[in-house]
Amino acid sequence: MMIYERGNAAKQWMLGELDRRFGRANARVLDLACGNGHKWSSFVVSHPEWCVVGVDTDAVAVERGRSEFQGVPQVDLRVLDAQRPVEEGTFDAVVAMSAIEHVVDRPAFLKTVWTALKPGGVAYLNYDAGHFRSSDWKERLMVPVSQALTVFGIEGPYMKRVDDAEFRRQAEAQGFRVIAVRKHNLHPLKGFMRGASDDAIRVWYGLEDRMGSLFTPEQLDNVMWSTTLVLEKP
Ligand SMILES: C[S@@+](CC[C@H](N)C(=O)[O-])C[C@H]1O[C@@H](n2cnc3c(N)ncnc32)[C@H](O)[C@@H]1O
């Protein structure tokens, strides 16, 4: 197993899926709410024909990413709001990782995904339950505070728990076909594995893959806090 991402089993799985689906041939992928785009650093080296467009409203994160990818024309990072259309029908895949819980208008976000994809294109939309299950009271307090801030037009820190069934319904209402739901990131292992060896990381990711094939997403929900909805634009 090629390791693309060391600290997040959901991102590693998504990147592995893109590789399995499109191989090394040229593909165009849109990363919505990309942050600094760091997740692409190994992937674009082993997939030199790929083109990645990343968008995020956080100008500081985008600037940090631009310095990391300076001289790498494959990665194009832009400061944009993913609740508005980005480009029409030019992408083979759209991804959004640790993202949906931070999006205020999820139907508008899904419309951006729909508009950006070519027919037959696929989307990996991921969200995390960590902020809402945390035992740290400051993190829990930030949830209602961040929601109240949107009244004043401040969306940057926004977070709201994503209900699996509701988000799935919103995706279907946009016209998507749900092709998979996966749970990742065994809660106690996520921080524990920081700095681990390649062998240890492979054991972790292998265990998550095996659990994903043995249990349903509902059964894994309490131990794996990261959800990825895989959608196809028919
Ligand atoms: C937890 S970070 C995840 C960043 C990145 N996807 C990753 O996995 O490293 C959530 C990101 O969502 C971005 N975000 C939230 N709403 C957004 C929107 N409407 N348009 C673009 N980016 C957005 C935030 O600025 C933030 O960078």
Short mmCIF file of all heavy atoms in Angstrom, two decimals, residues 160-219:
data_model
loop_
_atom_site.label_atom_id
_atom_site.label_comp_id
_atom_site.label_asym_id
_atom_site.label_seq_id
_atom_site.Cartn_x
_atom_site.Cartn_y
_atom_site.Cartn_z
N LYS A 160 -21.36 22.59 12.63
CA LYS A 160 -22.65 22.03 13.02
C LYS A 160 -22.63 20.54 12.67
O LYS A 160 -22.20 20.17 11.56
CB LYS A 160 -23.78 22.74 12.27
CG LYS A 160 -25.14 22.30 12.71
CD LYS A 160 -26.23 23.14 12.10
CE LYS A 160 -27.57 22.65 12.60
NZ LYS A 160 -28.67 23.18 11.85
N ARG A 161 -23.08 19.73 13.62
CA ARG A 161 -23.06 18.28 13.41
C ARG A 161 -23.80 17.92 12.11
O ARG A 161 -24.84 18.53 11.80
CB ARG A 161 -23.75 17.59 14.60
CG ARG A 161 -23.54 16.10 14.67
CD ARG A 161 -24.28 15.52 15.86
NE ARG A 161 -25.72 15.46 15.64
CZ ARG A 161 -26.34 14.49 14.96
NH1 ARG A 161 -25.66 13.48 14.45
NH2 ARG A 161 -27.65 14.53 14.80
N VAL A 162 -23.25 16.99 11.37
CA VAL A 162 -23.91 16.54 10.14
C VAL A 162 -24.67 15.26 10.46
O VAL A 162 -24.10 14.30 10.98
CB VAL A 162 -22.87 16.27 9.02
CG1 VAL A 162 -23.57 15.82 7.73
CG2 VAL A 162 -22.02 17.51 8.77
N ASP A 163 -25.95 15.27 10.16
CA ASP A 163 -26.77 14.08 10.34
C ASP A 163 -26.65 13.23 9.07
O ASP A 163 -26.93 13.72 7.97
CB ASP A 163 -28.23 14.53 10.58
CG ASP A 163 -29.14 13.35 10.77
OD1 ASP A 163 -29.25 12.87 11.90
OD2 ASP A 163 -29.73 12.89 9.76
N ASP A 164 -26.19 11.97 9.23
CA ASP A 164 -25.93 11.12 8.06
C ASP A 164 -27.13 11.06 7.11
O ASP A 164 -27.00 11.27 5.91
CB ASP A 164 -25.61 9.68 8.50
CG ASP A 164 -24.25 9.56 9.19
OD1 ASP A 164 -23.48 10.53 9.17
OD2 ASP A 164 -23.98 8.49 9.75
N ALA A 165 -28.32 10.77 7.69
CA ALA A 165 -29.50 10.56 6.85
C ALA A 165 -29.92 11.86 6.16
O ALA A 165 -30.28 11.86 4.97
CB ALA A 165 -30.64 10.00 7.70
N GLU A 166 -29.84 12.97 6.91
CA GLU A 166 -30.26 14.24 6.32
C GLU A 166 -29.33 14.66 5.18
O GLU A 166 -29.78 15.11 4.12
CB GLU A 166 -30.29 15.33 7.41
CG GLU A 166 -30.87 16.63 6.88
CD GLU A 166 -30.69 17.79 7.84
OE1 GLU A 166 -30.12 17.62 8.93
OE2 GLU A 166 -31.11 18.90 7.46
N PHE A 167 -28.02 14.51 5.39
CA PHE A 167 -27.08 14.92 4.34
C PHE A 167 -27.25 14.03 3.09
O PHE A 167 -27.19 14.51 1.96
CB PHE A 167 -25.63 14.86 4.86
CG PHE A 167 -24.64 15.46 3.91
CD1 PHE A 167 -24.81 16.75 3.41
CD2 PHE A 167 -23.53 14.74 3.48
CE1 PHE A 167 -23.91 17.31 2.51
CE2 PHE A 167 -22.62 15.30 2.60
CZ PHE A 167 -22.81 16.58 2.11
N ARG A 168 -27.51 12.78 3.33
CA ARG A 168 -27.75 11.86 2.21
C ARG A 168 -29.00 12.29 1.43
O ARG A 168 -29.00 12.32 0.20
CB ARG A 168 -27.94 10.46 2.81
CG ARG A 168 -28.00 9.38 1.79
CD ARG A 168 -28.31 8.05 2.44
NE ARG A 168 -28.57 7.12 1.38
CZ ARG A 168 -27.96 5.97 1.21
NH1 ARG A 168 -27.07 5.57 2.06
NH2 ARG A 168 -28.25 5.21 0.19
N ARG A 169 -30.05 12.67 2.18
CA ARG A 169 -31.29 13.14 1.51
C ARG A 169 -31.01 14.39 0.70
O ARG A 169 -31.50 14.55 -0.43
CB ARG A 169 -32.38 13.44 2.56
CG ARG A 169 -33.27 12.24 2.89
CD ARG A 169 -34.54 12.67 3.62
NE ARG A 169 -34.29 13.42 4.84
CZ ARG A 169 -34.02 12.88 6.02
NH1 ARG A 169 -33.97 11.57 6.16
NH2 ARG A 169 -33.82 13.64 7.08
N GLN A 170 -30.21 15.31 1.27
CA GLN A 170 -29.89 16.56 0.55
C GLN A 170 -29.12 16.24 -0.74
O GLN A 170 -29.35 16.87 -1.78
CB GLN A 170 -29.06 17.50 1.45
CG GLN A 170 -29.89 18.10 2.58
CD GLN A 170 -29.04 18.88 3.59
OE1 GLN A 170 -27.86 18.62 3.75
NE2 GLN A 170 -29.66 19.84 4.26
N ALA A 171 -28.21 15.28 -0.67
CA ALA A 171 -27.42 14.89 -1.86
C ALA A 171 -28.34 14.28 -2.92
O ALA A 171 -28.23 14.59 -4.12
CB ALA A 171 -26.33 13.91 -1.46
N GLU A 172 -29.26 13.43 -2.47
CA GLU A 172 -30.19 12.79 -3.43
C GLU A 172 -31.12 13.82 -4.04
O GLU A 172 -31.45 13.75 -5.23
CB GLU A 172 -30.94 11.65 -2.74
CG GLU A 172 -30.03 10.45 -2.53
CD GLU A 172 -30.60 9.37 -1.62
OE1 GLU A 172 -31.52 9.68 -0.81
OE2 GLU A 172 -30.12 8.23 -1.69
N ALA A 173 -31.53 14.81 -3.23
CA ALA A 173 -32.42 15.86 -3.75
C ALA A 173 -31.71 16.67 -4.84
O ALA A 173 -32.34 17.17 -5.77
CB ALA A 173 -32.87 16.78 -2.61
N GLN A 174 -30.39 16.77 -4.75
CA GLN A 174 -29.62 17.49 -5.79
C GLN A 174 -29.52 16.65 -7.08
O GLN A 174 -29.20 17.17 -8.14
CB GLN A 174 -28.22 17.82 -5.24
CG GLN A 174 -27.27 18.49 -6.21
CD GLN A 174 -27.82 19.78 -6.78
OE1 GLN A 174 -28.16 20.71 -6.07
NE2 GLN A 174 -27.95 19.83 -8.12
N GLY A 175 -29.80 15.33 -6.96
CA GLY A 175 -29.75 14.47 -8.16
C GLY A 175 -28.67 13.41 -8.08
O GLY A 175 -28.56 12.56 -8.97
N PHE A 176 -27.86 13.40 -7.02
CA PHE A 176 -26.77 12.44 -6.90
C PHE A 176 -27.28 11.04 -6.58
O PHE A 176 -28.32 10.87 -5.93
CB PHE A 176 -25.81 12.85 -5.77
CG PHE A 176 -24.90 13.98 -6.14
CD1 PHE A 176 -25.04 15.23 -5.55
CD2 PHE A 176 -23.89 13.80 -7.08
CE1 PHE A 176 -24.20 16.27 -5.88
CE2 PHE A 176 -23.04 14.85 -7.42
CZ PHE A 176 -23.19 16.08 -6.82
N ARG A 177 -26.50 10.04 -7.01
CA ARG A 177 -26.71 8.65 -6.60
C ARG A 177 -25.66 8.35 -5.52
O ARG A 177 -24.47 8.63 -5.74
CB ARG A 177 -26.50 7.75 -7.81
CG ARG A 177 -27.07 6.37 -7.70
CD ARG A 177 -27.06 5.69 -9.06
NE ARG A 177 -25.73 5.32 -9.48
CZ ARG A 177 -25.08 4.23 -9.08
NH1 ARG A 177 -25.66 3.38 -8.23
NH2 ARG A 177 -23.85 3.95 -9.51
N VAL A 178 -26.12 7.84 -4.37
CA VAL A 178 -25.17 7.51 -3.30
C VAL A 178 -24.56 6.15 -3.63
O VAL A 178 -25.29 5.16 -3.75
CB VAL A 178 -25.86 7.47 -1.92
CG1 VAL A 178 -24.88 7.03 -0.83
CG2 VAL A 178 -26.46 8.83 -1.59
N ILE A 179 -23.23 6.09 -3.81
CA ILE A 179 -22.64 4.79 -4.15
C ILE A 179 -21.93 4.12 -2.97
O ILE A 179 -21.70 2.92 -3.01
CB ILE A 179 -21.75 4.84 -5.41
CG1 ILE A 179 -20.69 5.92 -5.34
CG2 ILE A 179 -22.57 5.02 -6.67
CD1 ILE A 179 -19.78 5.94 -6.59
N ALA A 180 -21.61 4.88 -1.95
CA ALA A 180 -21.01 4.26 -0.75
C ALA A 180 -21.04 5.24 0.41
O ALA A 180 -21.11 6.45 0.22
CB ALA A 180 -19.56 3.85 -1.03
N VAL A 181 -21.02 4.66 1.61
CA VAL A 181 -20.83 5.45 2.84
C VAL A 181 -19.73 4.72 3.61
O VAL A 181 -19.82 3.50 3.81
CB VAL A 181 -22.10 5.49 3.71
CG1 VAL A 181 -21.86 6.34 4.95
CG2 VAL A 181 -23.29 6.00 2.93
N ARG A 182 -18.67 5.43 4.02
CA ARG A 182 -17.59 4.78 4.76
C ARG A 182 -17.30 5.54 6.05
O ARG A 182 -17.40 6.77 6.08
CB ARG A 182 -16.31 4.74 3.91
CG ARG A 182 -16.39 3.80 2.72
CD ARG A 182 -16.49 2.35 3.13
NE ARG A 182 -15.31 1.89 3.81
CZ ARG A 182 -14.47 0.99 3.31
NH1 ARG A 182 -14.67 0.44 2.14
NH2 ARG A 182 -13.40 0.60 4.02
N LYS A 183 -16.96 4.80 7.08
CA LYS A 183 -16.53 5.40 8.35
C LYS A 183 -15.03 5.15 8.52
O LYS A 183 -14.54 4.06 8.16
CB LYS A 183 -17.29 4.77 9.52
CG LYS A 183 -18.79 4.99 9.50
CD LYS A 183 -19.19 6.32 10.09
CE LYS A 183 -20.69 6.57 9.91
NZ LYS A 183 -21.12 7.88 10.42
N HIS A 184 -14.32 6.15 9.07
CA HIS A 184 -12.87 6.02 9.26
C HIS A 184 -12.42 6.70 10.55
O HIS A 184 -13.18 7.39 11.19
CB HIS A 184 -12.12 6.68 8.09
CG HIS A 184 -12.09 5.85 6.86
ND1 HIS A 184 -12.90 6.09 5.79
CD2 HIS A 184 -11.35 4.77 6.52
CE1 HIS A 184 -12.68 5.21 4.84
NE2 HIS A 184 -11.75 4.39 5.25
N ASN A 185 -11.14 6.54 10.81
CA ASN A 185 -10.43 7.19 11.92
C ASN A 185 -10.89 6.65 13.28
O ASN A 185 -11.60 7.33 14.02
CB ASN A 185 -10.55 8.71 11.85
CG ASN A 185 -9.73 9.27 10.69
OD1 ASN A 185 -8.76 8.65 10.27
ND2 ASN A 185 -10.12 10.39 10.16
N LEU A 186 -10.43 5.44 13.58
CA LEU A 186 -10.67 4.83 14.89
C LEU A 186 -10.25 5.86 15.93
O LEU A 186 -9.08 6.26 15.98
CB LEU A 186 -9.81 3.59 15.03
CG LEU A 186 -10.48 2.27 14.72
CD1 LEU A 186 -9.46 1.16 14.68
CD2 LEU A 186 -11.60 1.96 15.69
N HIS A 187 -11.18 6.29 16.73
CA HIS A 187 -10.97 7.48 17.55
C HIS A 187 -9.68 7.47 18.39
O HIS A 187 -8.89 8.40 18.33
CB HIS A 187 -12.21 7.74 18.39
CG HIS A 187 -12.01 8.85 19.33
ND1 HIS A 187 -11.66 10.11 18.91
CD2 HIS A 187 -12.04 8.89 20.68
CE1 HIS A 187 -11.50 10.88 19.96
NE2 HIS A 187 -11.72 10.18 21.04
N PRO A 188 -9.40 6.38 19.15
CA PRO A 188 -8.19 6.45 19.99
C PRO A 188 -6.89 6.43 19.18
O PRO A 188 -5.85 6.83 19.68
CB PRO A 188 -8.29 5.20 20.86
CG PRO A 188 -9.62 4.60 20.59
CD PRO A 188 -10.12 5.13 19.30
N LEU A 189 -6.96 5.96 17.93
CA LEU A 189 -5.72 5.80 17.16
C LEU A 189 -5.29 7.06 16.43
O LEU A 189 -4.12 7.23 16.10
CB LEU A 189 -5.88 4.67 16.12
CG LEU A 189 -5.79 3.25 16.64
CD1 LEU A 189 -5.77 2.27 15.48
CD2 LEU A 189 -4.52 3.06 17.47
N LYS A 190 -6.22 7.99 16.17
CA LYS A 190 -5.91 9.10 15.27
C LYS A 190 -4.70 9.92 15.76
O LYS A 190 -3.73 10.08 15.04
CB LYS A 190 -7.14 9.98 15.06
CG LYS A 190 -7.06 10.72 13.74
CD LYS A 190 -8.26 11.59 13.51
CE LYS A 190 -7.91 12.66 12.49
NZ LYS A 190 -8.76 13.83 12.59
N GLY A 191 -4.74 10.41 17.00
CA GLY A 191 -3.61 11.18 17.52
C GLY A 191 -2.45 10.26 17.88
O GLY A 191 -1.29 10.60 17.67
N PHE A 192 -2.77 9.08 18.39
CA PHE A 192 -1.76 8.11 18.86
C PHE A 192 -0.76 7.77 17.75
O PHE A 192 0.41 7.57 18.00
CB PHE A 192 -2.50 6.85 19.32
CG PHE A 192 -1.62 5.74 19.79
CD1 PHE A 192 -1.05 5.79 21.06
CD2 PHE A 192 -1.36 4.65 18.97
CE1 PHE A 192 -0.23 4.76 21.49
CE2 PHE A 192 -0.54 3.62 19.40
CZ PHE A 192 0.03 3.67 20.66
N MET A 193 -1.22 7.74 16.50
CA MET A 193 -0.36 7.29 15.39
C MET A 193 0.50 8.41 14.81
O MET A 193 1.24 8.17 13.87
CB MET A 193 -1.22 6.69 14.28
CG MET A 193 -1.93 5.43 14.70
SD MET A 193 -0.80 4.13 15.20
CE MET A 193 -0.46 3.41 13.61
N ARG A 194 0.36 9.62 15.36
CA ARG A 194 1.18 10.72 14.84
C ARG A 194 2.67 10.36 14.99
O ARG A 194 3.11 9.97 16.06
CB ARG A 194 0.86 12.01 15.61
CG ARG A 194 1.20 13.24 14.83
CD ARG A 194 0.56 14.49 15.43
NE ARG A 194 -0.89 14.55 15.25
CZ ARG A 194 -1.75 14.88 16.21
NH1 ARG A 194 -1.34 15.15 17.42
NH2 ARG A 194 -3.04 14.93 15.96
N GLY A 195 3.41 10.43 13.88
CA GLY A 195 4.84 10.13 13.95
C GLY A 195 5.16 8.64 13.89
O GLY A 195 6.32 8.26 14.07
N ALA A 196 4.15 7.80 13.66
CA ALA A 196 4.40 6.35 13.64
C ALA A 196 5.16 5.94 12.37
O ALA A 196 5.19 6.67 11.38
CB ALA A 196 3.08 5.61 13.72
N SER A 197 5.75 4.74 12.41
CA SER A 197 6.51 4.22 11.26
C SER A 197 5.55 3.84 10.12
O SER A 197 4.35 3.67 10.34
CB SER A 197 7.28 2.97 11.68
OG SER A 197 6.34 1.95 11.97
N ASP A 198 6.12 3.67 8.92
CA ASP A 198 5.31 3.25 7.77
C ASP A 198 4.59 1.94 8.08
O ASP A 198 3.42 1.77 7.74
CB ASP A 198 6.19 3.05 6.53
CG ASP A 198 6.61 4.37 5.92
OD1 ASP A 198 6.31 5.43 6.52
OD2 ASP A 198 7.24 4.34 4.85
N ASP A 199 5.30 1.00 8.71
CA ASP A 199 4.70 -0.31 9.01
C ASP A 199 3.47 -0.14 9.91
O ASP A 199 2.43 -0.74 9.68
CB ASP A 199 5.70 -1.23 9.72
CG ASP A 199 6.66 -1.85 8.72
OD1 ASP A 199 6.42 -1.70 7.50
OD2 ASP A 199 7.65 -2.46 9.17
N ALA A 200 3.62 0.70 10.94
CA ALA A 200 2.51 0.91 11.88
C ALA A 200 1.33 1.58 11.18
O ALA A 200 0.17 1.21 11.38
CB ALA A 200 2.98 1.74 13.07
N ILE A 201 1.64 2.56 10.32
CA ILE A 201 0.56 3.26 9.59
C ILE A 201 -0.18 2.25 8.70
O ILE A 201 -1.42 2.27 8.62
CB ILE A 201 1.15 4.40 8.71
CG1 ILE A 201 1.86 5.44 9.58
CG2 ILE A 201 0.09 5.01 7.81
CD1 ILE A 201 1.06 6.62 10.02
N ARG A 202 0.57 1.37 8.05
CA ARG A 202 -0.08 0.38 7.17
C ARG A 202 -0.98 -0.56 7.97
O ARG A 202 -2.05 -0.93 7.51
CB ARG A 202 0.98 -0.43 6.40
CG ARG A 202 1.61 0.37 5.29
CD ARG A 202 2.32 -0.51 4.26
NE ARG A 202 2.83 0.34 3.21
CZ ARG A 202 4.06 0.88 3.19
NH1 ARG A 202 4.91 0.59 4.15
NH2 ARG A 202 4.43 1.68 2.22
N VAL A 203 -0.54 -0.93 9.18
CA VAL A 203 -1.37 -1.81 10.03
C VAL A 203 -2.67 -1.07 10.37
O VAL A 203 -3.77 -1.62 10.29
CB VAL A 203 -0.61 -2.22 11.31
CG1 VAL A 203 -1.55 -2.89 12.31
CG2 VAL A 203 0.55 -3.14 10.97
N TRP A 204 -2.55 0.21 10.74
CA TRP A 204 -3.74 1.02 11.10
C TRP A 204 -4.71 1.08 9.92
O TRP A 204 -5.90 0.77 10.05
CB TRP A 204 -3.28 2.42 11.52
CG TRP A 204 -4.38 3.43 11.72
CD1 TRP A 204 -5.69 3.17 12.03
CD2 TRP A 204 -4.26 4.86 11.61
NE1 TRP A 204 -6.40 4.37 12.12
CE2 TRP A 204 -5.54 5.41 11.86
CE3 TRP A 204 -3.21 5.72 11.33
CZ2 TRP A 204 -5.79 6.78 11.83
CZ3 TRP A 204 -3.45 7.10 11.32
CH2 TRP A 204 -4.73 7.61 11.57
N TYR A 205 -4.19 1.47 8.75
CA TYR A 205 -5.08 1.64 7.59
C TYR A 205 -5.67 0.29 7.16
O TYR A 205 -6.82 0.20 6.75
CB TYR A 205 -4.32 2.29 6.44
CG TYR A 205 -3.98 3.77 6.66
CD1 TYR A 205 -3.04 4.42 5.86
CD2 TYR A 205 -4.59 4.50 7.67
CE1 TYR A 205 -2.73 5.77 6.06
CE2 TYR A 205 -4.28 5.84 7.88
CZ TYR A 205 -3.35 6.47 7.07
OH TYR A 205 -3.05 7.80 7.26
N GLY A 206 -4.85 -0.78 7.28
CA GLY A 206 -5.34 -2.12 6.91
C GLY A 206 -6.47 -2.54 7.83
O GLY A 206 -7.49 -3.09 7.40
N LEU A 207 -6.31 -2.25 9.13
CA LEU A 207 -7.34 -2.59 10.13
C LEU A 207 -8.64 -1.85 9.81
O LEU A 207 -9.74 -2.42 9.83
CB LEU A 207 -6.84 -2.21 11.52
CG LEU A 207 -7.87 -2.29 12.65
CD1 LEU A 207 -8.25 -3.74 12.94
CD2 LEU A 207 -7.33 -1.64 13.93
N GLU A 208 -8.51 -0.56 9.46
CA GLU A 208 -9.72 0.23 9.15
C GLU A 208 -10.43 -0.31 7.91
O GLU A 208 -11.65 -0.40 7.87
CB GLU A 208 -9.34 1.70 8.96
CG GLU A 208 -8.82 2.32 10.24
CD GLU A 208 -9.44 3.68 10.55
OE1 GLU A 208 -10.18 4.22 9.73
OE2 GLU A 208 -9.15 4.18 11.65
N ASP A 209 -9.64 -0.68 6.89
CA ASP A 209 -10.25 -1.24 5.67
C ASP A 209 -11.01 -2.52 5.99
O ASP A 209 -12.12 -2.74 5.52
CB ASP A 209 -9.17 -1.54 4.62
CG ASP A 209 -8.85 -0.30 3.81
OD1 ASP A 209 -9.58 0.70 3.92
OD2 ASP A 209 -7.84 -0.33 3.07
N ARG A 210 -10.36 -3.37 6.82
CA ARG A 210 -10.98 -4.67 7.16
C ARG A 210 -12.27 -4.43 7.95
O ARG A 210 -13.29 -5.05 7.71
CB ARG A 210 -9.96 -5.47 7.98
CG ARG A 210 -10.33 -6.89 8.18
CD ARG A 210 -9.93 -7.76 7.00
NE ARG A 210 -10.39 -9.14 7.23
CZ ARG A 210 -11.42 -9.68 6.60
NH1 ARG A 210 -12.08 -9.00 5.70
NH2 ARG A 210 -11.78 -10.92 6.85
N MET A 211 -12.22 -3.50 8.92
CA MET A 211 -13.42 -3.22 9.71
C MET A 211 -14.53 -2.67 8.82
O MET A 211 -15.70 -3.00 8.98
CB MET A 211 -13.10 -2.25 10.85
CG MET A 211 -12.28 -2.92 11.94
SD MET A 211 -11.93 -1.83 13.31
CE MET A 211 -13.49 -1.80 14.19
N GLY A 212 -14.12 -1.84 7.84
CA GLY A 212 -15.11 -1.28 6.91
C GLY A 212 -15.79 -2.34 6.08
O GLY A 212 -16.92 -2.15 5.63
N SER A 213 -15.08 -3.48 5.86
CA SER A 213 -15.72 -4.53 5.07
C SER A 213 -16.52 -5.50 5.96
O SER A 213 -17.36 -6.25 5.47
CB SER A 213 -14.68 -5.28 4.23
OG SER A 213 -13.76 -5.91 5.08
N LEU A 214 -16.26 -5.49 7.28
CA LEU A 214 -16.95 -6.45 8.16
C LEU A 214 -18.17 -5.86 8.87
O LEU A 214 -19.05 -6.58 9.30
CB LEU A 214 -15.97 -6.95 9.24
CG LEU A 214 -14.83 -7.85 8.76
CD1 LEU A 214 -13.88 -8.15 9.90
CD2 LEU A 214 -15.38 -9.14 8.17
N PHE A 215 -18.18 -4.52 9.03
CA PHE A 215 -19.26 -3.88 9.78
C PHE A 215 -19.95 -2.82 8.94
O PHE A 215 -19.35 -2.26 8.01
CB PHE A 215 -18.71 -3.21 11.06
CG PHE A 215 -18.10 -4.18 12.03
CD1 PHE A 215 -16.74 -4.41 12.04
CD2 PHE A 215 -18.89 -4.87 12.94
CE1 PHE A 215 -16.17 -5.30 12.93
CE2 PHE A 215 -18.33 -5.77 13.84
CZ PHE A 215 -16.96 -5.98 13.84
N THR A 216 -21.18 -2.51 9.29
CA THR A 216 -21.90 -1.45 8.57
C THR A 216 -21.44 -0.08 9.10
O THR A 216 -20.92 0.03 10.23
CB THR A 216 -23.42 -1.56 8.81
OG1 THR A 216 -23.66 -1.30 10.21
CG2 THR A 216 -23.97 -2.92 8.42
N PRO A 217 -21.67 0.99 8.32
CA PRO A 217 -21.32 2.33 8.82
C PRO A 217 -22.01 2.64 10.15
O PRO A 217 -21.42 3.25 11.04
CB PRO A 217 -21.82 3.26 7.71
CG PRO A 217 -21.83 2.43 6.47
CD PRO A 217 -22.15 1.03 6.93
N GLU A 218 -23.24 2.18 10.32
CA GLU A 218 -23.98 2.44 11.57
C GLU A 218 -23.28 1.74 12.74
O GLU A 218 -23.16 2.32 13.83
CB GLU A 218 -25.43 1.92 11.47
CG GLU A 218 -26.31 2.67 10.49
CD GLU A 218 -26.02 2.34 9.02
OE1 GLU A 218 -25.44 1.26 8.74
OE2 GLU A 218 -26.35 3.17 8.15
N GLN A 219 -22.79 0.52 12.53
CA GLN A 219 -22.12 -0.20 13.61
C GLN A 219 -20.80 0.47 13.99
O GLN A 219 -20.38 0.44 15.14
CB GLN A 219 -21.84 -1.66 13.19
CG GLN A 219 -23.09 -2.51 13.16
CD GLN A 219 -22.83 -3.88 12.53
OE1 GLN A 219 -22.16 -4.00 11.50
NE2 GLN A 219 -23.36 -4.91 13.14
#
